[in-house]
Amino acid sequence: MEFLGTSQTASYCGPKKACAFRALPPAGPAPETQECYQPYSLPGYRNLKSWRPSLFYKVSNAQTCVDERATCRSPLRPPTILPALRSALFCRYSPRDWDKSNDLQMRGAEASRLWASRLTGDSMRLMQDKDELTRQMQEGTSRNLGQRLSDIGFWKSELGYELERLLNETHSMETVKRRLECAAEELNCPLQVALECLYHREKRIGIDLVHDNVEKNLIQEVDLLKCCQEHMRKLAQRIDIQMRDNRDAQHALERDLEDKSSAQFIDEKCYNLRNTADCITFFHGMEKVDGTVSVPETWAKFSNDNIRHSQNMRANSIRLREEAENLLETLSDQMWKQFTDTNLAFSARISEVTDVKNKLQTQLATLQEIFQAENTIMLLERSIMAKECPLKVAQTRLECRTWRPNVELCRDIPQFKLVNEVFTIDDTLQTLRLRLRETQDTLQLLVMTKCRLEHELAVKANTLCIDKEKCMSMRKTFPCTPRLVGYT
């Protein structure tokens, strides 16, 4: 027969096995309170090993039976009864266990209260320490921000001062470049005048087309003017390149100054932030983000390098400006000296040509021999014509006397006289004709000489017209020194 509500296979239906029974374990000792504060955890990150009341007890599992086959032979075992009564009988504790349990509960409560009191005091001191530390750190950060603003202001003033000086130097460079360009353009007029003088002097005639000092000075003047223009234009190109370098340095300074202004605005905003500000909020993880690209040393070195680069560009600009000033003054003196030398050569040449022209005119004015030669030719021709009749008479007489008869053909004195007269008149005619030819040749020579003198006078007049009227009329004016050095 089976008991109601149980099975025969239940362990409490059969004889009870022998088990090593152990009483309720005593409560563990109360945890000792640590003098140092426990680490504080943010909400949501509570330590898993935080305090719990159940830690003051240790649960002890009952030991299993060593030999399941061994049966409990205790003589105190009650007889087999209903399951409900048997369970109630085995759940009983002894008074000693009850006293121990109560004492353990009171000691645990006392330890927990003492621990909580100490933890509260430590927490108050921790909050005060952390508040003071936070205030000191915030004040230190504000002081650092103020010092940073002071450093930014210093470098801003240095960059602004250097930028102003660089802008002034760039403006001066633009002025010098404009002066060089104006001076180079101003030389076009004297160069054109010198070239036109050379072209006009190519129209000289004959022997006056000579490579004289005037032409040499004109060629030197043309070469000098072209060389001056070339030097000015090359220096203007160098100044233009330097101005580009100055603009690069200016851009670097302006960019650095703009970055400094932005950083100053941001740091001023950060410096003026307070705990009561409305614009503050949480930015979790920002302390782990490191977007910096420089340290204070490299930060200061960057601005210092920009300033030094700008100073080097200004020094180069100053050297170029001084070189331009010296070049303009030197070239102006050289051009004026060459212009003066050329004009002096023109004056000397004009004086020489005028002197020669006057001498030629004097020679032409003293050619009275032409008239005398013409008169002599006329007289000689008349004399020759006058001698022909006596010769005819003498020859006629001789011819008539040849008709004398016989012995009357006597070589008498009249015969000798007639023959002598004929020979004499014939010699006279030959002499007069010879002198006539010589006089005619002389007259022709005088006429040719006159023609040559007149041609030379025309040549000299043409040369004087070219040098004195055409060339010197163009060379009356020359650009003044201020215009030669680029001032308009």
Side-chain angles (χ1 to χ4, degrees):
M1 179 178 178
E2 295 181 355
F3 294 101
L4 184 63
T6 63
S7 64
Q8 292 180 349
T9 58
S11 59
Y12 52 79
C13 292
K16 189 174 180 63
K17 299 179 181 179
C19 297
F21 177 75
R22 186 175 293 179
L24 184 65
E32 296 181 358
T33 305
Q34 298 180 359
E35 294 296 329
C36 60
Y37 67 88
Q38 293 295 327
Y40 176 73
S41 300
L42 293 173
Y45 296 93
R46 185 176 299 277
N47 193 350
L48 297 178
K49 294 183 180 181
S50 59
W51 175 83
R52 292 180 182 177
S54 60
L55 292 178
F56 291 102
Y57 296 95
K58 293 182 180 179
V59 179
S60 176
N61 294 325
Q63 295 182 358
T64 57
C65 295
V66 178
D67 188 2
E68 292 182 357
R69 295 181 182 180
T71 58
C72 184
R73 300 295 183 179
S74 175
L76 299 177
R77 182 176 182 272
T80 301
I81 57 176
L82 292 175
L85 296 177
R86 188 169 57 251
S87 297
L89 180 62
F90 280 96
C91 287
R92 297 287 190 270
Y93 291 98
S94 65
R96 183 171 171 271
D97 293 335
W98 184 78
D99 292 336
K100 279 178 138 184
S101 175
N102 291 333
D103 184 56
L104 184 62
Q105 291 293 335
M106 286 186 291
R107 283 189 295 166
E110 183 67 21
S112 298
R113 185 181 61 79
L114 187 61
W115 168 256
S117 176
R118 289 183 179 180
L119 182 62
T120 301
D122 291 343
S123 298
M124 295 300 296
R125 286 191 299 272
L126 177 65
M127 286 188 292
Q128 292 176 359
D129 294 341
K130 293 305 178 182
D131 288 343
E132 182 67 20
L133 178 63
T134 302
R135 185 184 62 80
Q136 291 178 359
M137 292 182 66
Q138 193 175 53
E139 290 178 354
T141 304
S142 298
R143 284 195 302 272
N144 293 333
L145 284 173
Q147 182 64 35
R148 182 65 173 181
L149 288 173
S150 177
D151 294 340
I152 293 176
F154 169 75
W155 284 112
K156 275 188 66 177
S157 63
E158 292 293 325
L159 290 170
Y161 177 70
E162 182 61 30
L163 180 60
E164 182 180 1
R165 297 183 67 183
L166 183 61
L167 290 175
N168 293 334
E169 185 61 34
T170 303
H171 180 69
S172 300
M173 290 288 287
E174 291 177 353
T175 303
V176 172
K177 178 188 174 184
R178 190 162 52 249
R179 284 177 56 193
L180 287 171
E181 292 175 349
C182 291
E185 292 295 329
E186 192 67 30
L187 294 182
N188 288 330
C189 183
L191 179 61
Q192 185 66 27
V193 169
L195 291 174
E196 287 185 4
C197 288
L198 286 174
Y199 296 152
H200 284 309
R201 285 177 63 82
E202 290 296 323
K203 298 177 183 179
R204 292 174 296 169
I205 304 171
I207 194 62
D208 278 9
L209 193 62
V210 63
H211 186 62
D212 52 2
N213 290 329
V214 176
E215 188 170 356
K216 292 179 182 177
N217 281 279
L218 283 174
I219 293 174
Q220 291 178 2
E221 184 175 343
V222 170
D223 293 339
L224 178 62
L225 291 174
K226 289 183 178 180
C227 182
C228 292
Q229 281 187 331
E230 187 68 21
H231 281 301
M232 291 177 182
R233 286 166 181 166
K234 285 184 179 179
L235 188 56
Q237 291 177 357
R238 291 173 57 193
I239 289 177
D240 187 60
I241 295 173
Q242 183 61 45
M243 287 176 61
R244 287 201 295 268
D245 295 339
N246 289 358
R247 283 192 289 270
D248 291 339
Q250 175 187 346
H251 178 67
L253 290 176
E254 290 176 347
R255 183 175 56 188
D256 195 4
L257 194 60
E258 184 179 358
D259 293 343
K260 291 287 188 298
S261 299
S262 300
Q264 187 179 27
F265 174 77
I266 294 172
D267 286 346
E268 284 180 352
K269 180 180 178 181
C270 295
Y271 180 77
N272 294 324
L273 285 178
R274 296 294 181 267
N275 294 331
T276 57
D278 296 333
C279 58
I280 59 176
T281 183
F282 285 108
F283 293 94
H284 295 294
M286 289 303 299
E287 68 278 1
K288 299 178 182 179
V289 177
D290 187 8
T292 57
V293 295
S294 64
V295 295
E297 290 78 9
T298 58
W299 173 79
K301 184 177 180 297
F302 179 77
S303 298
N304 191 29
D305 291 342
N306 289 334
I307 293 174
R308 287 185 179 276
H309 180 64
S310 175
Q311 290 174 349
N312 292 333
M313 294 300 102
R314 283 196 300 108
N316 295 336
S317 300
I318 292 172
R319 284 195 295 269
L320 279 177
R321 282 198 298 111
E322 292 176 353
E323 183 180 351
E325 292 289 345
N326 296 331
L327 179 67
L328 288 173
E329 293 179 1
T330 303
L331 295 182
S332 174
D333 294 339
Q334 291 179 359
M335 287 185 289
W336 263 108
K337 183 178 180 300
Q338 184 62 43
F339 178 76
T340 304
D341 292 343
T342 305
N343 286 349
L344 291 176
F346 262 111
S347 299
R349 186 62 179 173
I350 290 172
S351 177
E352 291 177 359
V353 175
T354 304
D355 186 33
V356 172
K357 181 184 177 183
N358 293 334
K359 290 180 180 180
L360 291 174
Q361 286 178 346
T362 303
Q363 290 294 327
L364 184 62
T366 57
L367 287 178
Q368 299 296 331
E369 288 79 4
I370 295 177
F371 178 72
Q372 293 176 0
E374 290 177 350
N375 290 334
T376 303
I377 290 172
M378 184 180 64
L379 292 175
L380 287 172
E381 289 177 349
R382 287 178 183 180
S383 177
I384 291 172
M385 291 176 64
K387 297 298 185 291
E388 289 180 352
C389 290
L391 180 60
K392 290 178 180 180
V393 171
Q395 289 179 351
T396 302
R397 286 176 178 178
L398 284 175
E399 195 275 333
C400 288
R401 283 177 66 86
T402 58
W403 292 99
R404 290 177 298 168
N406 299 323
V407 75
E408 291 298 328
L409 289 173
C410 179
R411 185 172 295 190
D412 52 4
I413 294 175
Q415 184 73 24
F416 282 108
K417 291 294 183 179
L418 286 173
V419 173
N420 189 19
E421 184 182 359
V422 170
F423 278 108
T424 301
I425 292 173
D426 192 26
D427 290 337
T428 301
L429 287 175
Q430 290 181 3
T431 302
L432 290 175
R433 288 190 181 98
L434 179 61
R435 185 57 54 86
L436 178 61
R437 286 195 298 270
E438 290 177 355
T439 305
Q440 289 175 346
D441 292 340
T442 301
L443 178 60
Q444 186 177 4
L445 180 61
L446 289 174
V447 172
M448 291 178 63
T449 302
K450 180 182 178 181
C451 292
R452 285 196 299 270
L453 289 177
E454 290 175 349
H455 176 72
E456 287 297 324
L457 285 173
V459 169
K460 297 301 183 288
N462 179 65
T463 302
L464 286 175
C465 179
I466 291 173
D467 290 345
K468 189 175 182 179
E469 297 180 4
K470 293 183 178 180
C471 294
M472 289 305 293
S473 63
M474 293 187 298
R475 298 181 64 84
K476 289 181 180 179
T477 58
F478 191 75
C480 58
T481 302
R483 297 182 70 87
L484 287 179
V485 297
Y487 294 108
T488 56

